[in-house]
mmCIF file of all heavy atoms in Angstrom:
data_model
loop_
_atom_site.group_PDB
_atom_site.id
_atom_site.type_symbol
_atom_site.label_atom_id
_atom_site.label_comp_id
_atom_site.label_asym_id
_atom_site.label_seq_id
_atom_site.Cartn_x
_atom_site.Cartn_y
_atom_site.Cartn_z
ATOM 1 N N GLN A 1161 77.437 218.735 176.336
ATOM 2 C CA GLN A 1161 78.793 218.939 176.756
ATOM 3 C C GLN A 1161 79.380 217.734 177.453
ATOM 4 O O GLN A 1161 80.655 217.468 177.374
ATOM 5 C CB GLN A 1161 78.968 220.212 177.572
ATOM 6 C CG GLN A 1161 78.844 221.482 176.695
ATOM 7 C CD GLN A 1161 77.299 221.845 176.515
ATOM 8 O OE1 GLN A 1161 76.363 221.138 176.737
ATOM 9 N NE2 GLN A 1161 77.134 223.057 175.993
ATOM 10 N N LEU A 1162 78.532 216.981 178.167
ATOM 11 C CA LEU A 1162 79.028 215.829 178.845
ATOM 12 C C LEU A 1162 79.430 214.710 177.932
ATOM 13 O O LEU A 1162 80.108 213.664 178.275
ATOM 14 C CB LEU A 1162 77.988 215.302 179.779
ATOM 15 C CG LEU A 1162 77.542 216.287 180.974
ATOM 16 C CD1 LEU A 1162 76.376 215.705 181.738
ATOM 17 C CD2 LEU A 1162 78.703 216.404 181.879
ATOM 18 N N TYR A 1163 79.069 214.678 176.714
ATOM 19 C CA TYR A 1163 79.168 213.690 175.702
ATOM 20 C C TYR A 1163 79.976 214.268 174.409
ATOM 21 O O TYR A 1163 79.825 213.614 173.389
ATOM 22 C CB TYR A 1163 77.844 213.067 175.252
ATOM 23 C CG TYR A 1163 77.064 212.324 176.358
ATOM 24 C CD1 TYR A 1163 76.308 213.011 177.328
ATOM 25 C CD2 TYR A 1163 77.234 210.939 176.560
ATOM 26 C CE1 TYR A 1163 75.675 212.540 178.312
ATOM 27 C CE2 TYR A 1163 76.550 210.361 177.527
ATOM 28 C CZ TYR A 1163 75.717 211.148 178.453
ATOM 29 O OH TYR A 1163 75.124 210.538 179.470
ATOM 30 N N LYS A 1164 80.779 215.128 174.700
ATOM 31 C CA LYS A 1164 81.347 215.913 173.545
ATOM 32 C C LYS A 1164 82.173 215.016 172.567
ATOM 33 O O LYS A 1164 81.877 215.061 171.295
ATOM 34 C CB LYS A 1164 82.316 216.988 174.106
ATOM 35 C CG LYS A 1164 83.023 217.817 173.065
ATOM 36 C CD LYS A 1164 83.780 218.920 173.624
ATOM 37 C CE LYS A 1164 84.414 219.829 172.575
ATOM 38 N NZ LYS A 1164 85.052 220.940 173.297
ATOM 39 N N ASP A 1165 83.029 214.090 173.004
ATOM 40 C CA ASP A 1165 83.806 213.293 172.129
ATOM 41 C C ASP A 1165 82.925 212.321 171.365
ATOM 42 O O ASP A 1165 83.003 212.187 170.120
ATOM 43 C CB ASP A 1165 84.925 212.697 172.946
ATOM 44 C CG ASP A 1165 85.937 213.664 173.409
ATOM 45 O OD1 ASP A 1165 86.161 214.612 172.740
ATOM 46 O OD2 ASP A 1165 86.643 213.233 174.374
ATOM 47 N N ALA A 1166 82.009 211.705 172.033
ATOM 48 C CA ALA A 1166 81.119 210.714 171.428
ATOM 49 C C ALA A 1166 80.274 211.342 170.495
ATOM 50 O O ALA A 1166 79.924 210.851 169.243
ATOM 51 C CB ALA A 1166 80.375 209.905 172.534
ATOM 52 N N LEU A 1167 79.759 212.622 170.680
ATOM 53 C CA LEU A 1167 78.947 213.311 169.820
ATOM 54 C C LEU A 1167 79.710 213.707 168.580
ATOM 55 O O LEU A 1167 79.181 213.572 167.476
ATOM 56 C CB LEU A 1167 78.378 214.526 170.591
ATOM 57 C CG LEU A 1167 77.326 215.491 169.757
ATOM 58 C CD1 LEU A 1167 76.149 214.606 169.292
ATOM 59 C CD2 LEU A 1167 76.867 216.551 170.521
ATOM 60 N N ARG A 1168 80.942 214.279 168.695
ATOM 61 C CA ARG A 1168 81.623 214.590 167.600
ATOM 62 C C ARG A 1168 81.832 213.451 166.700
ATOM 63 O O ARG A 1168 81.872 213.585 165.460
ATOM 64 C CB ARG A 1168 83.012 215.193 168.095
ATOM 65 C CG ARG A 1168 82.742 216.627 168.605
ATOM 66 C CD ARG A 1168 84.047 217.124 169.267
ATOM 67 N NE ARG A 1168 85.170 217.353 168.294
ATOM 68 C CZ ARG A 1168 85.330 218.555 167.739
ATOM 69 N NH1 ARG A 1168 84.610 219.669 168.131
ATOM 70 N NH2 ARG A 1168 86.321 218.758 166.863
ATOM 71 N N ARG A 1169 82.043 212.219 167.264
ATOM 72 C CA ARG A 1169 82.335 210.984 166.460
ATOM 73 C C ARG A 1169 81.055 210.673 165.613
ATOM 74 O O ARG A 1169 81.064 210.378 164.528
ATOM 75 C CB ARG A 1169 82.649 209.803 167.369
ATOM 76 C CG ARG A 1169 82.916 208.555 166.524
ATOM 77 C CD ARG A 1169 83.353 207.444 167.472
ATOM 78 N NE ARG A 1169 83.605 206.295 166.745
ATOM 79 C CZ ARG A 1169 84.773 206.041 165.977
ATOM 80 N NH1 ARG A 1169 85.664 206.892 165.951
ATOM 81 N NH2 ARG A 1169 84.836 204.816 165.360
ATOM 82 N N ARG A 1170 79.943 210.845 166.313
ATOM 83 C CA ARG A 1170 78.622 210.512 165.621
ATOM 84 C C ARG A 1170 78.465 211.545 164.414
ATOM 85 O O ARG A 1170 77.859 211.251 163.403
ATOM 86 C CB ARG A 1170 77.382 210.646 166.606
ATOM 87 C CG ARG A 1170 77.375 209.624 167.650
ATOM 88 C CD ARG A 1170 77.372 208.153 167.167
ATOM 89 N NE ARG A 1170 76.311 207.781 166.227
ATOM 90 C CZ ARG A 1170 75.197 207.095 166.525
ATOM 91 N NH1 ARG A 1170 75.056 206.647 167.749
ATOM 92 N NH2 ARG A 1170 74.330 206.763 165.571
ATOM 93 N N PHE A 1171 78.825 212.791 164.655
ATOM 94 C CA PHE A 1171 78.687 213.833 163.552
ATOM 95 C C PHE A 1171 79.558 213.449 162.397
ATOM 96 O O PHE A 1171 79.225 213.524 161.337
ATOM 97 C CB PHE A 1171 78.908 215.222 164.111
ATOM 98 C CG PHE A 1171 77.708 215.895 164.653
ATOM 99 C CD1 PHE A 1171 77.490 216.025 165.874
ATOM 100 C CD2 PHE A 1171 76.832 216.409 163.641
ATOM 101 C CE1 PHE A 1171 76.364 216.670 166.300
ATOM 102 C CE2 PHE A 1171 75.650 217.030 164.104
ATOM 103 C CZ PHE A 1171 75.450 217.194 165.484
ATOM 104 N N LEU A 1172 80.882 213.083 162.736
ATOM 105 C CA LEU A 1172 81.741 212.713 161.684
ATOM 106 C C LEU A 1172 81.188 211.525 160.871
ATOM 107 O O LEU A 1172 81.287 211.601 159.618
ATOM 108 C CB LEU A 1172 83.086 212.250 162.194
ATOM 109 C CG LEU A 1172 84.095 213.344 162.615
ATOM 110 C CD1 LEU A 1172 85.267 212.786 163.534
ATOM 111 C CD2 LEU A 1172 84.654 214.123 161.306
ATOM 112 N N GLU A 1173 80.591 210.654 161.540
ATOM 113 C CA GLU A 1173 80.020 209.453 160.774
ATOM 114 C C GLU A 1173 78.775 209.836 159.943
ATOM 115 O O GLU A 1173 78.456 209.225 158.941
ATOM 116 C CB GLU A 1173 79.500 208.414 161.846
ATOM 117 C CG GLU A 1173 80.596 207.703 162.550
ATOM 118 C CD GLU A 1173 80.100 206.981 163.740
ATOM 119 O OE1 GLU A 1173 78.966 206.858 164.134
ATOM 120 O OE2 GLU A 1173 80.973 206.215 164.332
ATOM 121 N N SER A 1174 78.102 211.032 160.136
ATOM 122 C CA SER A 1174 77.045 211.503 159.395
ATOM 123 C C SER A 1174 77.402 212.277 158.150
ATOM 124 O O SER A 1174 76.587 212.472 157.253
ATOM 125 C CB SER A 1174 76.085 212.297 160.273
ATOM 126 O OG SER A 1174 76.672 213.602 160.568
ATOM 127 N N TRP A 1175 78.700 212.646 158.114
ATOM 128 C CA TRP A 1175 78.986 213.639 156.943
ATOM 129 C C TRP A 1175 78.772 213.083 155.578
ATOM 130 O O TRP A 1175 78.428 213.732 154.772
ATOM 131 C CB TRP A 1175 80.580 213.775 157.088
ATOM 132 C CG TRP A 1175 80.931 214.822 158.152
ATOM 133 C CD1 TRP A 1175 80.169 215.482 158.963
ATOM 134 C CD2 TRP A 1175 82.264 215.406 158.311
ATOM 135 N NE1 TRP A 1175 80.802 216.387 159.712
ATOM 136 C CE2 TRP A 1175 82.134 216.416 159.404
ATOM 137 C CE3 TRP A 1175 83.502 215.108 157.785
ATOM 138 C CZ2 TRP A 1175 83.223 216.982 159.728
ATOM 139 C CZ3 TRP A 1175 84.639 215.773 158.216
ATOM 140 C CH2 TRP A 1175 84.424 216.715 159.209
ATOM 141 N N TYR A 1176 78.893 211.737 155.400
ATOM 142 C CA TYR A 1176 78.757 211.219 153.946
ATOM 143 C C TYR A 1176 77.396 210.434 153.918
ATOM 144 O O TYR A 1176 77.252 209.581 152.955
ATOM 145 C CB TYR A 1176 79.987 210.299 153.697
ATOM 146 C CG TYR A 1176 81.204 211.198 153.763
ATOM 147 C CD1 TYR A 1176 82.065 211.155 154.759
ATOM 148 C CD2 TYR A 1176 81.481 212.158 152.724
ATOM 149 C CE1 TYR A 1176 83.217 211.851 154.871
ATOM 150 C CE2 TYR A 1176 82.552 212.881 152.853
ATOM 151 C CZ TYR A 1176 83.524 212.898 153.835
ATOM 152 O OH TYR A 1176 84.454 213.608 153.931
ATOM 153 N N ASN A 1177 76.531 210.561 154.850
ATOM 154 C CA ASN A 1177 75.282 209.817 154.861
ATOM 155 C C ASN A 1177 74.241 210.664 154.187
ATOM 156 O O ASN A 1177 73.871 211.829 154.822
ATOM 157 C CB ASN A 1177 74.907 209.464 156.270
ATOM 158 C CG ASN A 1177 73.631 208.753 156.472
ATOM 159 O OD1 ASN A 1177 72.914 208.471 155.370
ATOM 160 N ND2 ASN A 1177 73.357 208.142 157.624
ATOM 161 N N MET A 1178 73.717 210.287 153.105
ATOM 162 C CA MET A 1178 72.715 211.117 152.369
ATOM 163 C C MET A 1178 71.451 211.364 153.305
ATOM 164 O O MET A 1178 70.763 212.438 153.036
ATOM 165 C CB MET A 1178 72.351 210.433 151.036
ATOM 166 C CG MET A 1178 73.461 210.432 150.035
ATOM 167 S SD MET A 1178 73.856 212.207 149.459
ATOM 168 C CE MET A 1178 72.471 212.564 148.400
ATOM 169 N N GLU A 1179 71.094 210.417 154.068
ATOM 170 C CA GLU A 1179 69.973 210.688 155.000
ATOM 171 C C GLU A 1179 70.113 211.854 155.855
ATOM 172 O O GLU A 1179 69.140 212.484 156.340
ATOM 173 C CB GLU A 1179 69.751 209.513 155.885
ATOM 174 C CG GLU A 1179 69.029 208.214 155.126
ATOM 175 C CD GLU A 1179 68.920 207.062 156.042
ATOM 176 O OE1 GLU A 1179 69.363 207.010 157.139
ATOM 177 O OE2 GLU A 1179 68.141 206.204 155.653
ATOM 178 N N ASP A 1180 71.415 212.347 156.146
ATOM 179 C CA ASP A 1180 71.624 213.310 156.973
ATOM 180 C C ASP A 1180 71.938 214.729 156.373
ATOM 181 O O ASP A 1180 72.233 215.725 156.908
ATOM 182 C CB ASP A 1180 72.887 213.068 158.029
ATOM 183 C CG ASP A 1180 72.522 211.925 158.890
ATOM 184 O OD1 ASP A 1180 71.348 211.841 159.315
ATOM 185 O OD2 ASP A 1180 73.410 211.150 159.188
ATOM 186 N N MET A 1181 71.768 214.721 155.041
ATOM 187 C CA MET A 1181 72.122 215.925 154.208
ATOM 188 C C MET A 1181 71.154 217.122 154.775
ATOM 189 O O MET A 1181 71.598 218.279 154.610
ATOM 190 C CB MET A 1181 71.920 215.740 152.758
ATOM 191 C CG MET A 1181 70.638 215.664 152.235
ATOM 192 S SD MET A 1181 70.732 215.534 150.416
ATOM 193 C CE MET A 1181 68.995 215.270 150.058
ATOM 194 N N TYR A 1182 69.936 216.802 155.179
ATOM 195 C CA TYR A 1182 69.042 217.933 155.592
ATOM 196 C C TYR A 1182 69.507 218.499 156.915
ATOM 197 O O TYR A 1182 69.226 219.714 157.180
ATOM 198 C CB TYR A 1182 67.646 217.318 155.847
ATOM 199 C CG TYR A 1182 67.087 216.727 154.545
ATOM 200 C CD1 TYR A 1182 66.933 215.287 154.456
ATOM 201 C CD2 TYR A 1182 66.696 217.508 153.416
ATOM 202 C CE1 TYR A 1182 66.507 214.720 153.233
ATOM 203 C CE2 TYR A 1182 66.262 216.983 152.207
ATOM 204 C CZ TYR A 1182 66.193 215.650 152.218
ATOM 205 O OH TYR A 1182 65.729 215.016 151.067
ATOM 206 N N TRP A 1183 70.210 217.861 157.679
ATOM 207 C CA TRP A 1183 70.791 218.390 158.926
ATOM 208 C C TRP A 1183 72.008 219.369 158.544
ATOM 209 O O TRP A 1183 72.026 220.457 159.036
ATOM 210 C CB TRP A 1183 71.358 217.297 159.866
ATOM 211 C CG TRP A 1183 72.344 217.960 160.859
ATOM 212 C CD1 TRP A 1183 73.644 217.868 160.845
ATOM 213 C CD2 TRP A 1183 72.040 218.581 162.009
ATOM 214 N NE1 TRP A 1183 74.283 218.599 161.878
ATOM 215 C CE2 TRP A 1183 73.254 218.981 162.679
ATOM 216 C CE3 TRP A 1183 70.837 218.925 162.724
ATOM 217 C CZ2 TRP A 1183 73.315 219.597 163.874
ATOM 218 C CZ3 TRP A 1183 70.841 219.612 163.933
ATOM 219 C CH2 TRP A 1183 72.084 219.998 164.463
ATOM 220 N N HIS A 1184 72.906 218.897 157.771
ATOM 221 C CA HIS A 1184 74.043 219.701 157.343
ATOM 222 C C HIS A 1184 73.750 220.901 156.606
ATOM 223 O O HIS A 1184 74.481 221.947 156.774
ATOM 224 C CB HIS A 1184 75.021 218.746 156.668
ATOM 225 C CG HIS A 1184 75.572 217.641 157.515
ATOM 226 N ND1 HIS A 1184 76.268 217.860 158.705
ATOM 227 C CD2 HIS A 1184 75.325 216.303 157.422
ATOM 228 C CE1 HIS A 1184 76.535 216.686 159.194
ATOM 229 N NE2 HIS A 1184 76.015 215.738 158.517
ATOM 230 N N GLY A 1185 72.727 220.806 155.804
ATOM 231 C CA GLY A 1185 72.253 222.077 155.089
ATOM 232 C C GLY A 1185 73.100 222.659 154.051
ATOM 233 O O GLY A 1185 73.031 223.814 153.710
ATOM 234 N N ALA A 1186 74.011 221.899 153.521
ATOM 235 C CA ALA A 1186 74.898 222.430 152.512
ATOM 236 C C ALA A 1186 75.594 221.185 151.776
ATOM 237 O O ALA A 1186 75.276 220.108 151.999
ATOM 238 C CB ALA A 1186 76.116 223.283 153.176
ATOM 239 N N THR A 1187 76.473 221.520 150.907
ATOM 240 C CA THR A 1187 77.202 220.524 150.203
ATOM 241 C C THR A 1187 78.348 219.842 150.942
ATOM 242 O O THR A 1187 78.929 218.876 150.632
ATOM 243 C CB THR A 1187 77.783 220.964 148.834
ATOM 244 O OG1 THR A 1187 78.571 222.150 149.110
ATOM 245 C CG2 THR A 1187 76.572 221.315 147.919
ATOM 246 N N GLY A 1188 78.730 220.462 152.087
ATOM 247 C CA GLY A 1188 79.713 219.966 152.980
ATOM 248 C C GLY A 1188 79.283 220.025 154.425
ATOM 249 O O GLY A 1188 78.168 220.319 154.667
ATOM 250 N N ALA A 1189 80.222 219.644 155.312
ATOM 251 C CA ALA A 1189 79.748 219.660 156.718
ATOM 252 C C ALA A 1189 80.950 219.965 157.566
ATOM 253 O O ALA A 1189 82.064 220.003 157.186
ATOM 254 C CB ALA A 1189 79.255 218.213 157.164
ATOM 255 N N GLU A 1190 80.721 220.427 158.849
ATOM 256 C CA GLU A 1190 81.675 220.688 159.752
ATOM 257 C C GLU A 1190 81.351 220.021 161.109
ATOM 258 O O GLU A 1190 80.244 219.640 161.323
ATOM 259 C CB GLU A 1190 81.843 222.252 159.958
ATOM 260 C CG GLU A 1190 80.552 222.913 160.335
ATOM 261 C CD GLU A 1190 80.713 224.450 160.259
ATOM 262 O OE1 GLU A 1190 81.451 225.005 159.491
ATOM 263 O OE2 GLU A 1190 79.903 224.997 160.931
ATOM 264 N N LEU A 1191 82.418 219.968 161.901
ATOM 265 C CA LEU A 1191 82.181 219.406 163.317
ATOM 266 C C LEU A 1191 81.296 220.440 164.175
ATOM 267 O O LEU A 1191 81.456 221.500 163.947
ATOM 268 C CB LEU A 1191 83.429 219.058 164.063
ATOM 269 C CG LEU A 1191 84.222 217.932 163.545
ATOM 270 C CD1 LEU A 1191 85.548 217.771 164.214
ATOM 271 C CD2 LEU A 1191 83.437 216.715 163.848
ATOM 272 N N ILE A 1192 80.631 219.758 165.027
ATOM 273 C CA ILE A 1192 79.766 220.648 165.901
ATOM 274 C C ILE A 1192 80.616 221.346 166.941
ATOM 275 O O ILE A 1192 81.547 220.824 167.396
ATOM 276 C CB ILE A 1192 78.716 219.737 166.560
ATOM 277 C CG1 ILE A 1192 77.741 220.618 167.511
ATOM 278 C CG2 ILE A 1192 79.331 218.690 167.398
ATOM 279 C CD1 ILE A 1192 76.565 219.729 167.923
ATOM 280 N N GLU A 1193 80.309 222.458 167.172
ATOM 281 C CA GLU A 1193 81.047 223.268 168.215
ATOM 282 C C GLU A 1193 80.020 223.530 169.406
ATOM 283 O O GLU A 1193 78.999 224.183 169.210
ATOM 284 C CB GLU A 1193 81.464 224.779 167.710
ATOM 285 C CG GLU A 1193 82.471 224.558 166.604
ATOM 286 C CD GLU A 1193 83.824 224.013 167.213
ATOM 287 O OE1 GLU A 1193 84.194 224.317 168.323
ATOM 288 O OE2 GLU A 1193 84.483 223.378 166.411
ATOM 289 N N LEU A 1194 80.377 222.939 170.596
ATOM 290 C CA LEU A 1194 79.423 223.132 171.725
ATOM 291 C C LEU A 1194 80.093 224.245 172.528
ATOM 292 O O LEU A 1194 81.212 224.400 172.751
ATOM 293 C CB LEU A 1194 79.518 221.826 172.538
ATOM 294 C CG LEU A 1194 79.004 220.668 171.906
ATOM 295 C CD1 LEU A 1194 79.248 219.307 172.783
ATOM 296 C CD2 LEU A 1194 77.515 220.708 171.574
ATOM 297 N N PRO A 1195 79.089 225.087 172.978
ATOM 298 C CA PRO A 1195 79.496 226.259 173.862
ATOM 299 C C PRO A 1195 79.944 225.799 175.175
ATOM 300 O O PRO A 1195 79.602 224.767 175.657
ATOM 301 C CB PRO A 1195 78.308 227.141 173.903
ATOM 302 C CG PRO A 1195 77.126 226.151 173.730
ATOM 303 C CD PRO A 1195 77.655 225.098 172.766
ATOM 304 N N ASP A 1196 80.759 226.711 175.798
ATOM 305 C CA ASP A 1196 81.216 226.479 177.250
ATOM 306 C C ASP A 1196 80.226 226.920 178.211
ATOM 307 O O ASP A 1196 80.579 226.842 179.420
ATOM 308 C CB ASP A 1196 82.596 227.093 177.474
ATOM 309 C CG ASP A 1196 83.670 226.402 176.637
ATOM 310 O OD1 ASP A 1196 83.593 225.258 176.303
ATOM 311 O OD2 ASP A 1196 84.651 227.016 176.236
ATOM 312 N N ASP A 1197 79.107 227.419 177.788
ATOM 313 C CA ASP A 1197 77.984 227.864 178.699
ATOM 314 C C ASP A 1197 76.663 227.538 178.111
ATOM 315 O O ASP A 1197 76.591 226.945 177.032
ATOM 316 C CB ASP A 1197 78.148 229.363 179.029
ATOM 317 C CG ASP A 1197 78.112 230.094 177.664
ATOM 318 O OD1 ASP A 1197 77.297 229.802 176.777
ATOM 319 O OD2 ASP A 1197 78.844 231.105 177.555
ATOM 320 N N ASN A 1198 75.591 227.884 178.798
ATOM 321 C CA ASN A 1198 74.271 227.656 178.298
ATOM 322 C C ASN A 1198 73.514 228.955 178.210
ATOM 323 O O ASN A 1198 72.290 228.879 178.220
ATOM 324 C CB ASN A 1198 73.554 226.564 179.076
ATOM 325 C CG ASN A 1198 73.215 226.961 180.443
ATOM 326 O OD1 ASN A 1198 73.647 227.968 180.877
ATOM 327 N ND2 ASN A 1198 72.310 226.280 181.091
ATOM 328 N N TYR A 1199 74.115 230.109 178.056
ATOM 329 C CA TYR A 1199 73.430 231.305 178.101
ATOM 330 C C TYR A 1199 72.668 231.580 176.732
ATOM 331 O O TYR A 1199 71.564 231.824 176.716
ATOM 332 C CB TYR A 1199 74.352 232.571 178.503
ATOM 333 C CG TYR A 1199 73.531 233.755 178.631
ATOM 334 C CD1 TYR A 1199 72.796 233.979 179.757
ATOM 335 C CD2 TYR A 1199 73.523 234.858 177.688
ATOM 336 C CE1 TYR A 1199 72.014 235.186 179.838
ATOM 337 C CE2 TYR A 1199 72.830 235.956 177.728
ATOM 338 C CZ TYR A 1199 72.162 236.188 178.885
ATOM 339 O OH TYR A 1199 71.432 237.308 178.997
ATOM 340 N N ASN A 1200 73.449 231.541 175.679
ATOM 341 C CA ASN A 1200 72.869 231.770 174.338
ATOM 342 C C ASN A 1200 72.408 230.596 173.592
ATOM 343 O O ASN A 1200 71.863 230.726 172.567
ATOM 344 C CB ASN A 1200 73.887 232.567 173.507
ATOM 345 C CG ASN A 1200 73.944 233.940 174.084
ATOM 346 O OD1 ASN A 1200 73.156 234.636 174.591
ATOM 347 N ND2 ASN A 1200 75.334 234.437 174.210
ATOM 348 N N LYS A 1201 72.809 229.409 173.961
ATOM 349 C CA LYS A 1201 72.454 228.119 173.207
ATOM 350 C C LYS A 1201 72.343 227.065 174.206
ATOM 351 O O LYS A 1201 73.143 226.850 175.082
ATOM 352 C CB LYS A 1201 73.669 227.875 172.177
ATOM 353 C CG LYS A 1201 73.333 226.774 171.246
ATOM 354 C CD LYS A 1201 74.306 226.676 170.204
ATOM 355 C CE LYS A 1201 73.911 225.489 169.187
ATOM 356 N NZ LYS A 1201 74.756 225.495 168.000
ATOM 357 N N HIS A 1202 71.431 226.198 174.020
ATOM 358 C CA HIS A 1202 71.172 224.958 174.902
ATOM 359 C C HIS A 1202 71.427 223.869 173.877
ATOM 360 O O HIS A 1202 70.813 223.780 172.828
ATOM 361 C CB HIS A 1202 69.685 225.016 175.428
ATOM 362 C CG HIS A 1202 69.547 225.930 176.407
ATOM 363 N ND1 HIS A 1202 68.283 226.254 177.001
ATOM 364 C CD2 HIS A 1202 70.238 226.963 177.007
ATOM 365 C CE1 HIS A 1202 68.189 227.243 177.821
ATOM 366 N NE2 HIS A 1202 69.513 227.680 177.963
ATOM 367 N N CYS A 1203 72.201 222.853 174.450
ATOM 368 C CA CYS A 1203 72.575 221.698 173.539
ATOM 369 C C CYS A 1203 72.320 220.540 174.386
ATOM 370 O O CYS A 1203 72.914 220.350 175.552
ATOM 371 C CB CYS A 1203 74.052 221.765 173.170
ATOM 372 S SG CYS A 1203 74.416 223.341 172.313
#
């Protein structure tokens, strides 16, 4: 969460990189959504 903007930029850059297709897990990709807390998800 401290690096939200920079992290979103890195994800955008990965959208069309074939090496990152295993992360996205589909034929398309979406921006990462970071939670406002750390109760159910740690990022």
Side-chain angles (χ1 to χ4, degrees):
Q1161 289 82 349
L1162 296 173
Y1163 296 83
K1164 184 176 183 176
D1165 292 335
L1167 182 59
R1168 288 172 67 95
R1169 181 175 180 81
R1170 295 303 303 255
F1171 270 103
L1172 278 167
E1173 292 169 354
S1174 76
W1175 280 5
Y1176 302 101
N1177 184 349
M1178 289 296 283
E1179 287 182 343
D1180 294 324
M1181 75 176 176
Y1182 302 107
W1183 161 264
H1184 298 296
T1187 54
E1190 57 191 23
L1191 283 175
I1192 186 169
E1193 292 295 328
L1194 296 173
D1196 292 331
D1197 58 42
N1198 69 347
Y1199 187 73
N1200 294 317
K1201 187 171 186 172
H1202 293 177
C1203 305

